[in-house]
mmCIF file of all heavy atoms in Angstrom:
data_model
loop_
_atom_site.group_PDB
_atom_site.id
_atom_site.type_symbol
_atom_site.label_atom_id
_atom_site.label_comp_id
_atom_site.label_asym_id
_atom_site.label_seq_id
_atom_site.Cartn_x
_atom_site.Cartn_y
_atom_site.Cartn_z
ATOM 1 N N GLU A 394 239.511 18.445 137.271
ATOM 2 C CA GLU A 394 240.031 17.517 138.274
ATOM 3 C C GLU A 394 239.108 17.429 139.478
ATOM 4 O O GLU A 394 238.848 16.342 140.004
ATOM 5 C CB GLU A 394 241.424 17.984 138.706
ATOM 6 C CG GLU A 394 242.464 17.860 137.593
ATOM 7 C CD GLU A 394 243.811 18.445 138.017
ATOM 8 O OE1 GLU A 394 243.857 18.991 139.165
ATOM 9 O OE2 GLU A 394 244.754 18.414 137.228
ATOM 10 N N HIS A 395 238.552 18.593 139.897
ATOM 11 C CA HIS A 395 237.641 18.585 141.043
ATOM 12 C C HIS A 395 236.359 17.807 140.740
ATOM 13 O O HIS A 395 235.841 17.073 141.595
ATOM 14 C CB HIS A 395 237.313 20.040 141.411
ATOM 15 C CG HIS A 395 236.423 20.166 142.606
ATOM 16 N ND1 HIS A 395 236.836 19.834 143.903
ATOM 17 C CD2 HIS A 395 235.128 20.574 142.712
ATOM 18 C CE1 HIS A 395 235.841 20.039 144.725
ATOM 19 N NE2 HIS A 395 234.773 20.497 144.028
ATOM 20 N N VAL A 396 235.854 17.953 139.480
ATOM 21 C CA VAL A 396 234.635 17.228 139.088
ATOM 22 C C VAL A 396 234.905 15.731 139.044
ATOM 23 O O VAL A 396 234.054 14.919 139.447
ATOM 24 C CB VAL A 396 234.139 17.742 137.724
ATOM 25 C CG1 VAL A 396 233.031 16.857 137.177
ATOM 26 C CG2 VAL A 396 233.634 19.169 137.838
ATOM 27 N N MET A 397 236.063 15.343 138.565
ATOM 28 C CA MET A 397 236.392 13.914 138.517
ATOM 29 C C MET A 397 236.437 13.333 139.916
ATOM 30 O O MET A 397 236.004 12.200 140.152
ATOM 31 C CB MET A 397 237.735 13.715 137.808
ATOM 32 C CG MET A 397 237.681 14.068 136.318
ATOM 33 S SD MET A 397 236.529 13.043 135.405
ATOM 34 C CE MET A 397 237.353 11.460 135.527
ATOM 35 N N GLU A 398 236.926 14.054 140.892
ATOM 36 C CA GLU A 398 236.909 13.588 142.278
ATOM 37 C C GLU A 398 235.486 13.495 142.814
ATOM 38 O O GLU A 398 235.158 12.596 143.587
ATOM 39 C CB GLU A 398 237.727 14.544 143.141
ATOM 40 C CG GLU A 398 239.221 14.498 142.840
ATOM 41 C CD GLU A 398 240.003 15.507 143.673
ATOM 42 O OE1 GLU A 398 239.319 16.264 144.431
ATOM 43 O OE2 GLU A 398 241.223 15.586 143.547
ATOM 44 N N GLY A 399 234.606 14.444 142.390
ATOM 45 C CA GLY A 399 233.224 14.408 142.872
ATOM 46 C C GLY A 399 232.438 13.242 142.329
ATOM 47 O O GLY A 399 231.491 12.762 142.973
ATOM 48 N N HIS A 400 232.771 12.737 141.136
ATOM 49 C CA HIS A 400 232.069 11.585 140.570
ATOM 50 C C HIS A 400 232.274 10.328 141.389
ATOM 51 O O HIS A 400 231.453 9.381 141.307
ATOM 52 C CB HIS A 400 232.542 11.337 139.147
ATOM 53 C CG HIS A 400 231.922 12.273 138.144
ATOM 54 N ND1 HIS A 400 230.565 12.485 138.043
ATOM 55 C CD2 HIS A 400 232.483 13.071 137.186
ATOM 56 C CE1 HIS A 400 230.308 13.361 137.084
ATOM 57 N NE2 HIS A 400 231.476 13.749 136.547
ATOM 58 N N LYS A 401 233.320 10.292 142.146
ATOM 59 C CA LYS A 401 233.599 9.098 142.950
ATOM 60 C C LYS A 401 232.576 8.926 144.062
ATOM 61 O O LYS A 401 232.283 7.814 144.488
ATOM 62 C CB LYS A 401 235.012 9.192 143.537
ATOM 63 C CG LYS A 401 236.102 9.197 142.480
ATOM 64 C CD LYS A 401 237.468 9.381 143.131
ATOM 65 C CE LYS A 401 238.562 9.439 142.039
ATOM 66 N NZ LYS A 401 239.906 9.653 142.631
ATOM 67 N N ASN A 402 231.978 10.027 144.570
ATOM 68 C CA ASN A 402 230.996 9.962 145.671
ATOM 69 C C ASN A 402 229.567 10.181 145.161
ATOM 70 O O ASN A 402 228.742 10.822 145.817
ATOM 71 C CB ASN A 402 231.331 11.031 146.719
ATOM 72 C CG ASN A 402 232.733 10.853 147.289
ATOM 73 O OD1 ASN A 402 233.178 9.725 147.464
ATOM 74 N ND2 ASN A 402 233.420 11.955 147.556
ATOM 75 N N VAL A 403 229.216 9.699 143.952
ATOM 76 C CA VAL A 403 227.907 9.932 143.346
ATOM 77 C C VAL A 403 226.820 9.191 144.111
ATOM 78 O O VAL A 403 225.719 9.722 144.332
ATOM 79 C CB VAL A 403 227.936 9.481 141.875
ATOM 80 C CG1 VAL A 403 226.538 9.518 141.276
ATOM 81 C CG2 VAL A 403 228.859 10.374 141.071
ATOM 82 N N LYS A 404 227.058 7.953 144.552
ATOM 83 C CA LYS A 404 226.027 7.172 145.217
ATOM 84 C C LYS A 404 225.569 7.828 146.511
ATOM 85 O O LYS A 404 224.366 7.907 146.806
ATOM 86 C CB LYS A 404 226.538 5.766 145.501
ATOM 87 C CG LYS A 404 226.779 4.945 144.245
ATOM 88 C CD LYS A 404 227.241 3.540 144.598
ATOM 89 C CE LYS A 404 227.462 2.703 143.317
ATOM 90 N NZ LYS A 404 227.906 1.317 143.640
ATOM 91 N N GLN A 405 226.496 8.327 147.282
ATOM 92 C CA GLN A 405 226.122 8.991 148.528
ATOM 93 C C GLN A 405 225.292 10.245 148.245
ATOM 94 O O GLN A 405 224.288 10.510 148.912
ATOM 95 C CB GLN A 405 227.388 9.361 149.307
ATOM 96 C CG GLN A 405 228.222 8.152 149.723
ATOM 97 C CD GLN A 405 229.496 8.562 150.427
ATOM 98 O OE1 GLN A 405 229.738 9.767 150.627
ATOM 99 N NE2 GLN A 405 230.314 7.568 150.822
ATOM 100 N N VAL A 406 225.682 10.939 147.241
ATOM 101 C CA VAL A 406 224.949 12.170 146.904
ATOM 102 C C VAL A 406 223.546 11.839 146.425
ATOM 103 O O VAL A 406 222.561 12.521 146.753
ATOM 104 C CB VAL A 406 225.719 12.960 145.837
ATOM 105 C CG1 VAL A 406 224.900 14.137 145.358
ATOM 106 C CG2 VAL A 406 227.057 13.425 146.391
ATOM 107 N N LYS A 407 223.376 10.755 145.629
ATOM 108 C CA LYS A 407 222.049 10.368 145.130
ATOM 109 C C LYS A 407 221.119 9.991 146.270
ATOM 110 O O LYS A 407 219.925 10.345 146.265
ATOM 111 C CB LYS A 407 222.172 9.193 144.168
ATOM 112 C CG LYS A 407 222.656 9.587 142.779
ATOM 113 C CD LYS A 407 222.658 8.390 141.854
ATOM 114 C CE LYS A 407 223.097 8.792 140.454
ATOM 115 N NZ LYS A 407 223.090 7.631 139.525
ATOM 116 N N ALA A 408 221.629 9.282 147.251
ATOM 117 C CA ALA A 408 220.785 8.889 148.394
ATOM 118 C C ALA A 408 220.310 10.120 149.154
ATOM 119 O O ALA A 408 219.131 10.227 149.549
ATOM 120 C CB ALA A 408 221.571 7.943 149.319
ATOM 121 N N LYS A 409 221.206 11.085 149.347
ATOM 122 C CA LYS A 409 220.811 12.312 150.053
ATOM 123 C C LYS A 409 219.754 13.086 149.263
ATOM 124 O O LYS A 409 218.781 13.595 149.819
ATOM 125 C CB LYS A 409 222.047 13.192 150.267
ATOM 126 C CG LYS A 409 223.033 12.616 151.281
ATOM 127 C CD LYS A 409 224.217 13.555 151.440
ATOM 128 C CE LYS A 409 225.226 12.987 152.431
ATOM 129 N NZ LYS A 409 226.397 13.881 152.609
ATOM 130 N N ILE A 410 219.926 13.145 147.926
ATOM 131 C CA ILE A 410 218.953 13.882 147.086
ATOM 132 C C ILE A 410 217.594 13.213 147.133
ATOM 133 O O ILE A 410 216.543 13.876 147.187
ATOM 134 C CB ILE A 410 219.485 13.971 145.653
ATOM 135 C CG1 ILE A 410 220.705 14.906 145.591
ATOM 136 C CG2 ILE A 410 218.407 14.484 144.687
ATOM 137 C CD1 ILE A 410 221.423 14.905 144.269
ATOM 138 N N GLN A 411 217.539 11.862 147.132
ATOM 139 C CA GLN A 411 216.263 11.154 147.177
ATOM 140 C C GLN A 411 215.536 11.421 148.491
ATOM 141 O O GLN A 411 214.311 11.641 148.503
ATOM 142 C CB GLN A 411 216.517 9.663 146.980
ATOM 143 C CG GLN A 411 215.237 8.862 146.734
ATOM 144 C CD GLN A 411 215.555 7.425 146.360
ATOM 145 O OE1 GLN A 411 216.731 7.040 146.318
ATOM 146 N NE2 GLN A 411 214.524 6.653 146.082
#
Side-chain angles (χ1 to χ4, degrees):
E394 292 175 357
H395 182 69
V396 170
M397 293 298 293
E398 292 177 357
H400 281 309
K401 296 176 182 179
N402 301 324
V403 172
K404 293 182 179 180
Q405 298 177 1
V406 173
K407 282 184 178 181
K409 290 180 181 180
I410 291 172
Q411 191 172 2

